[in-house]
């Protein structure tokens, strides 16, 4: 998928799988194992958010919904949004089941440390999802303490929605890094689910998830985050990454893509996403800085991580 050049020499390569679907759901490009289940990590969050809405979650503010589908950076705006969801539902930060963590954003982390602060659950990148799960449980009268149990009604509602949106039976349930149940899906199924969000009729719950995330890209990621920058650069695109080299994207016309990098590295994901966008005819000045990842030697650029030449020729 992506090769790493240092001083003109191919030092490393990142292998993986990629699927691109057209607006009708047909495969435009399939590289690697696109029909084998993988843990799709935080790429599941928009579908999890939809499952909670279908279960009866009432989140009138689309900003709350966006952070509920986010892997945010733990910046002040993110933490306040999460605490706001909890407060509106009579909950506190201590109710969150995700582990305490530092902000992903380095500047925000430095401010916390300089102020004598410590790790906290609200700063953990998945805290918005957990706040939404908790709010659903409170509103529907479900047990709050067991909301992460796979048999909990909130998790059952999520599983039902994920299966419907992806068109797949859930073959494996694991535990995500944040402690929530995690589903294994195929890349084709993941891309299908994202396509269904963007192509849904305006005013539906499906479309609301997509619209909320696209309207609040900073809440979905944060400062210096590729998901946020891509959504700001290309009108109508929805992008969501996950741990271990998983990423999903859908364009305004329903063209969708999903990837899994075999070694789990984040480095090759954005060059691959930018390559797909360009091959499909989309471009923007911001993409020029995202197409390659700089490789340093002695503190100065000596190479880059870039898309393997010819990889996406069939999309041209």
């Amino acid at each position: 998928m992506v090769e790493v050049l240092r001083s003109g020499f191919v030092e490393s390569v990142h292998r993986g799988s990629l699927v691109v679907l057209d607006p009708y759901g047909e495969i435009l490009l399939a590289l690697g194992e696109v029909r084998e289940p993988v843990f799709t990590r935080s790429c599941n969050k928009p579908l999890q958010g939809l499952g909670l809405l279908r279960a009866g979650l009432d989140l009138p503010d689309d900003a709350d919904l966006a952070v509920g589908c986010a892997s945010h950076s733990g910046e002040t705006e993110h933490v306040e949004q999460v605490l706001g969801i909890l407060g509106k539902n009579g909950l506190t930060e201590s109710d969150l089941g995700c582990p305490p963590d530092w902000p992903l954003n380095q500047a925000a982390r430095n401010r916390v440390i300089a102020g004598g602060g410590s790790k906290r659950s609200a700063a953990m990148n998945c805290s918005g999802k957990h706040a939404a799960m908790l709010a659903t449980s409170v509103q529907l009268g479900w047990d709050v303490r067991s909301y992460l149990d796979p048999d909990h009604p909130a998790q059952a509602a999520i599983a039902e929605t994920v299966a419907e949106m992806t068109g797949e039976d859930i073959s494996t349930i694991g535990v995500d890094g944040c402690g929530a149940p995690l589903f294994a899906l195929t890349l084709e199924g993941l891309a299908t689910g994202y396509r269904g969000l963007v192509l849904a009729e305006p005013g539906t719950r499906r479309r609301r998830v997509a619209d909320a995330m696209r309207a609040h890209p900073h809440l979905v990621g944060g400062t210096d985050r590729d998901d946020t920058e891509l959504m700001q650069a290309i009108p109508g695109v929805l992008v969501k990454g996950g741990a271990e080299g998983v990423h999903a994207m859908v364009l305004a016309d329903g063209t969708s893509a999903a990837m899994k990098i075999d070694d789990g590295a984040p480095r090759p994901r954005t060059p691959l996403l930018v390559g797909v966008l360009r091959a499909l005819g989309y471009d923007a000045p911001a993409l020029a800085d995202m197409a390659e990842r700089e490789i340093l030697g002695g503190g100065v650029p000596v190479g880059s991580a870039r898309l393997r030449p010819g990889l996406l020729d069939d999309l041209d």
Side-chain angles (χ1 to χ4, degrees):
M1 293 290 181
V2 169
E3 58 186 19
V4 181
L5 274 73
R6 179 180 295 275
S7 304
F9 182 84
V10 177
E11 181 178 33
S12 303
V13 296
H14 295 284
R15 297 182 173 89
S17 301
L18 168 73
V19 68
V20 182
L21 305 181
D22 70 15
Y24 303 98
E26 300 297 322
I27 291 179
L28 283 173
L29 180 70
L31 302 173
E33 302 295 336
V34 303
R35 288 178 170 163
E36 291 295 325
V38 297
F39 279 136
T40 43
R41 303 300 294 267
S42 286
C43 290
N44 291 352
K45 286 178 178 175
L47 304 180
Q48 290 171 312
L50 174 61
L52 295 174
L53 290 179
R54 285 181 163 184
L57 172 62
D58 182 18
L59 281 183
D61 187 348
D62 279 352
D64 287 343
L65 180 57
V67 84
C69 299
S71 296
H72 63 73
S73 293
E75 298 169 72
T76 299
E77 180 181 2
H78 302 129
V79 173
E80 290 179 349
Q81 202 77 41
V82 170
L83 295 178
I85 295 173
L86 295 172
K88 293 171 190 175
N89 289 277
L91 298 159
T92 67
E93 186 171 359
S94 64
D95 292 305
L96 290 171
C98 55
D101 205 353
W102 299 108
L104 289 178
N105 178 264
Q106 189 62 54
R109 179 183 299 200
N110 290 344
R111 285 193 293 270
V112 171
I113 294 172
S118 59
K119 295 179 180 180
R120 59 184 299 188
S121 294
M124 198 268 175
N125 75 90
C126 297
S127 63
K129 175 180 73 176
H130 284 253
M133 291 174 177
L134 283 165
T136 305
S137 299
V138 168
Q139 292 175 13
L140 296 179
W142 296 336
D143 182 60
V144 170
R145 292 169 298 178
S146 62
Y147 79 94
L148 294 178
D149 189 316
D151 295 326
H152 190 276
Q155 303 303 336
I158 288 171
E160 181 179 355
T161 291
V162 170
E164 178 186 332
M165 293 294 292
T166 61
E168 298 180 355
D169 294 329
I170 298 171
S171 61
T172 303
I173 300 178
V175 180
D176 211 337
C178 65
L182 171 65
F183 306 135
L185 304 169
T186 71
L187 295 180
E188 183 180 11
L190 181 62
T192 297
Y194 272 58
R195 172 181 167 272
L197 296 175
V198 164
L199 292 184
E201 289 294 322
T204 61
R205 287 172 293 205
R206 294 184 184 190
R207 181 63 174 271
R208 187 185 170 207
V209 170
D211 288 348
M213 295 176 70
R214 293 182 294 187
H216 300 280
H218 186 264
L219 291 177
V220 176
T223 305
D224 299 325
R225 293 285 297 281
D226 291 346
D227 286 357
T228 296
E229 293 179 5
L230 283 169
M231 285 192 280
Q232 291 171 337
I234 305 295
V237 71
L238 172 62
V239 187
K240 184 71 191 72
E244 295 299 319
V246 184
H247 231 110
M249 173 175 70
V250 58
L251 300 168
D253 68 354
T255 302
S256 57
M259 73 171 73
K260 163 66 177 174
I261 303 301
D262 288 351
D263 61 12
R267 178 170 61 182
R269 295 186 302 181
T270 301
L272 188 53
L273 286 172
V274 171
V276 170
L277 285 167
R278 286 177 164 175
L280 292 171
Y282 293 81
D283 210 346
L287 299 188
D289 294 331
M290 306 174 75
E292 299 185 5
R293 284 290 182 251
E294 194 173 67
I295 302 298
L296 301 179
V300 298
V302 296
S304 65
R306 68 182 189 184
L307 193 69
R308 181 173 66 80
L311 181 74
L312 303 178
D313 284 353
D314 288 344
L315 279 179
D316 289 343

